[in-house]
Amino acid sequence: EESQWKLLNFFFCQRCGFPVAGKHGTCHQDFIAEHNGVKLTFAGGWHDAGDTSQQAAQSAEIVQALFENALRVKAASRSETGEKLYLRLMEEAQWGLDFILRTRFGDGYRATSAGSTRWTDNLMGNFDDVKCVVHNHSFENFLFSGVEAYAAYALQDYDFRLAEQARKAAEEDFSFAKDVFAATGVDHAEMFEHTYNSGLSQYYAVIIWSASCLYRITQEEQYAAAAREYAKKLLDCQERGDYPFAGFFYRDESKKMPVHFNHQSREHQFMQALELLCRTQPNHPEKEQWEAAMRLYGGYLNYIVQNTAPYAMLPAGIHREDEWQDEKTFHFLHVASAYEDEKENYREQLQNGLPLSGGFVLRNFPIWFSFRGNCAVLLSMGKAAGILGNYFDDETLRQIAREQLYWVWGKNPFGQCLVYGAGHNFCRQYTVHMGDTVGSVPVGMESRGNEDVPYWPQNNNATFREIWIGSSCRFLQLCAEM
């Protein structure tokens, strides 16, 4: 509960386009997105990091996290304090939902991001306006469709009209995404867009989840069928060989490159998708296959977590020992880094991991070069553990989930809480524009050079000590499983 209140404080202070007492006035009304001769202002949601950039996908996932926590608090608490927390979570979620709905152009295109390191004057047409990126990408629209459908579900007894607006947008965005995905497959990697690292299996997962969210609120068979169709594809991307660490996912059915993340992470989407599929279609004969895939992934988490005892930080995951030679995938995973400059570092980082059978390597920390910090990585995996622990009533997996919160809270080799203003011995963070803000979570612990052990320099710099709403979002998403 303390975490929820403090993270709510952080998100409120990060609001874009809203006056926050002691932080900033109304801002960035001159973030402008244009499509087909129509313009909209991109102010809204939450600033992305220590700067004043905007990432619509990040704001959308915060909306989901807030609604998740609101529903759990509502179900679990009958106290006056619980009611206040529920209402506050719903209020902040609706602020973000307004942004997600308002930045659609209605034909599949939407404003997706804006890069900025300055306060602007809110006047449109002069020197300091910021031009926003506009896309019709399938991954984003599938993601937004799922968030909108989840919002409609959370709002149905709270604000019926807003719920209906969200449902309508969810159905439209799913249709737009389906058409683009059928035509182009994986979207091209876009510099600094926060979904650029998604492989084909990630698309399958977000389609399953989005379709299941839509099926839950519409009961239309087309969505149930879509979820089942892509579940087959997703299961074909899972490692199911005779390894004690089997259960992880590859980027596609070829099973050449495992899924792994560095500073960004959406690892939880695989279990989130299969869990909601099972809950929305509990009597389908293929449910046993979906549950078997979930149990296999749970076994994978149980195996790899042993490598960081006694801290129980979830390692970053499985790699192939020769994947440093894959230049094509490198560009999806390592923004702002050049393959020729880093391939030897890549090879050395793999060599510093734990060798496993079959030509695999386990890394405690991600393979990384430019952006370093693992809060989102371990918290996203913790979210997956929490989902599985609750679904199967598995206390071991629940404890793995808790341990990821504990790591961030201070159960780490440095004895330092990474949530500003919480726990004890918390440190200042790289905030640039916002100043110290209770509830902020930085990008996270890193490794030194090509090593694979924790490194936490006390100089206050990006990216490891920089506040990112993505890290706070994953922390809040994991809180919902508790």
Side-chain angles (χ1 to χ4, degrees):
E1 186 175 331
E2 179 186 350
S3 296
Q4 290 170 315
W5 278 113
K6 289 183 174 178
L7 267 70
L8 275 167
N9 176 77
F10 171 64
F11 289 130
F12 178 76
C13 292
Q14 288 289 110
R15 281 189 182 188
C16 176
F18 186 91
V20 180
K23 292 293 183 183
H24 58 81
T26 301
C27 57
H28 301 119
Q29 301 291 314
D30 46 357
F31 276 22
I32 307 300
E34 184 172 3
H35 169 64
N36 272 352
V38 177
K39 297 181 181 180
L40 59 82
T41 177
F42 196 52
W46 301 275
H47 295 129
D48 184 59
D51 55 26
T52 59
S53 295
Q54 267 283 21
Q55 295 281 342
Q58 299 276 78
S59 284
E61 289 174 319
I62 292 170
V63 171
Q64 177 194 341
L66 291 163
F67 278 129
E68 281 180 329
N69 278 268
L71 291 179
R72 296 293 171 88
V73 168
K74 182 181 180 182
S77 177
R78 294 293 179 267
S79 68
E80 183 180 348
T81 303
E83 177 69 10
K84 288 179 179 178
L85 179 56
Y86 167 72
L87 294 173
R88 180 67 190 90
L89 287 160
M90 293 294 284
E91 176 193 24
E92 199 67 23
Q94 288 173 94
W95 165 260
L97 178 62
D98 172 75
F99 174 68
I100 299 308
L101 296 175
R102 186 168 45 77
T103 50
R104 303 169 67 246
F105 283 100
D107 61 353
Y109 285 85
R110 65 193 311 145
T112 57
S113 67
S116 170
T117 57
R118 64 183 186 269
W119 301 111
T120 57
D121 63 7
N122 295 324
L123 301 176
M124 301 178 191
N126 61 4
F127 74 100
D128 70 346
D129 294 355
V130 175
K131 185 177 180 180
C132 304
V133 177
V134 174
H135 281 311
N136 183 12
H137 280 175
S138 61
F139 187 90
E140 277 94 342
N141 272 329
F142 280 128
L143 176 64
F144 289 126
S145 173
V147 172
E148 289 155 354
Y150 195 98
Y153 175 74
L155 287 162
Q156 56 189 345
D157 297 324
Y158 187 91
D159 186 333
F160 178 75
R161 291 178 182 238
L162 182 56
E164 281 297 289
Q165 184 183 356
R167 179 200 55 77
K168 183 174 182 292
E171 294 196 68
E172 291 176 354
D173 286 344
F174 190 88
S175 179
F176 297 140
K178 186 172 63 173
D179 291 344
V180 172
F181 185 61
T184 65
V186 173
D187 300 316
H188 67 274
E190 187 74 28
M191 185 69 166
F192 292 118
E193 288 276 300
H194 279 224
T195 57
Y196 63 82
N197 59 359
S198 302
L200 195 56
S201 60
Q202 206 79 44
Y203 283 71
Y204 298 158
V206 79
I207 291 170
I208 297 164
W209 179 70
S210 180
S212 297
C213 287
L214 278 163
Y215 179 57
R216 180 168 58 179
I217 61 170
T218 67
Q219 291 301 297
E220 291 187 16
E221 174 57 27
Q222 60 167 316
Y223 299 121
R228 295 193 301 270
E229 175 190 352
Y230 283 95
K232 289 187 177 73
K233 296 177 182 290
L234 178 60
L235 266 55
D236 285 341
C237 300
Q238 189 177 32
E239 176 58 63
R240 284 178 275 179
D242 188 22
Y243 301 113
F245 50 85
F248 63 89
F249 290 87
Y250 292 91
R251 290 178 64 84
D252 58 35
E253 293 92 336
S254 70
K255 297 187 176 179
K256 292 180 179 179
M257 175 69 86
V259 171
H260 36 69
F261 299 89
N262 35 64
H263 62 290
Q264 292 285 326
S265 181
R266 292 182 171 83
E267 178 97 11
H268 64 281
Q269 286 182 341
F270 299 108
M271 293 303 104
Q272 176 181 260
L274 293 175
E275 184 256 4
L276 190 58
L277 177 61
C278 290
R279 292 197 186 279
T280 53
Q281 302 190 52
N283 300 317
H284 198 275
E286 294 175 16
K287 180 186 174 187
E288 288 186 7
Q289 300 174 35
W290 308 331
E291 289 184 335
M294 293 163 68
R295 287 193 176 93
L296 194 59
Y297 184 85
Y300 161 69
L301 295 180
N302 268 313
Y303 180 87
I304 65 173
V305 77
Q306 301 171 51
N307 203 47
T308 59
Y311 294 103
M313 179 198 83
L314 276 167
I318 299 292
H319 297 253
R320 285 199 181 276
E321 63 182 13
D322 61 352
E323 69 181 49
W324 63 276
Q325 298 172 349
D326 186 350
E327 181 177 0
K328 180 179 178 182
T329 308
F330 180 94
H331 298 294
F332 284 92
L333 299 178
H334 304 289
V335 64
S337 298
Y339 174 73
E340 289 298 326
D341 294 342
E342 303 293 356
K343 63 180 181 180
E344 285 303 313
N345 290 320
Y346 200 149
R347 185 175 63 85
E348 186 176 333
Q349 288 186 40
L350 288 168
Q351 290 175 340
N352 287 334
L354 176 70
L356 302 172
S357 58
F360 291 101
V361 174
L362 175 63
R363 283 277 303 184
N364 293 321
F365 287 85
I367 299 290
W368 45 21
F369 311 106
S370 56
F371 291 86
R372 291 175 180 252
N374 75 333
C375 276
V377 177
L378 64 92
L379 290 168
S380 182
M381 297 176 78
K383 171 74 171 178
I387 289 170
L388 294 175
N390 288 331
Y391 184 84
F392 292 118
D393 194 21
D394 186 322
E395 187 57 29
T396 301
L397 285 167
R398 282 199 194 103
Q399 186 60 28
I400 291 175
R402 292 187 193 104
E403 291 289 347
Q404 309 321 301
L405 294 177
Y406 298 164
W407 172 274
V408 177
W409 198 262
K411 186 183 176 182
N412 54 58
F414 305 95
Q416 190 162 68
C417 181
L418 306 188
V419 184
Y420 186 83
H424 75 286
N425 198 30
F426 55 84
C427 59
R428 300 195 73 176
Q429 297 170 356
Y430 186 70
T431 62
V432 189
H433 288 80
M434 301 300 170
D436 296 329
T437 305
V438 168
S440 60
V441 181
V443 181
M445 213 76 74
E446 61 169 331
S447 57
R448 188 179 68 167
N450 293 330
E451 296 176 359
D452 196 26
V453 292
Y455 181 52
W456 188 233
Q458 291 306 293
N459 57 310
N460 192 11
N461 207 346
T463 58
F464 61 100
R465 291 272 285 270
E466 183 180 3
I467 61 170
W468 276 20
I469 60 171
S471 303
S472 298
C473 176
R474 297 291 176 255
F475 195 100
L476 192 63
Q477 283 186 306
L478 182 46
C479 284
E481 298 306 320
M482 300 295 105

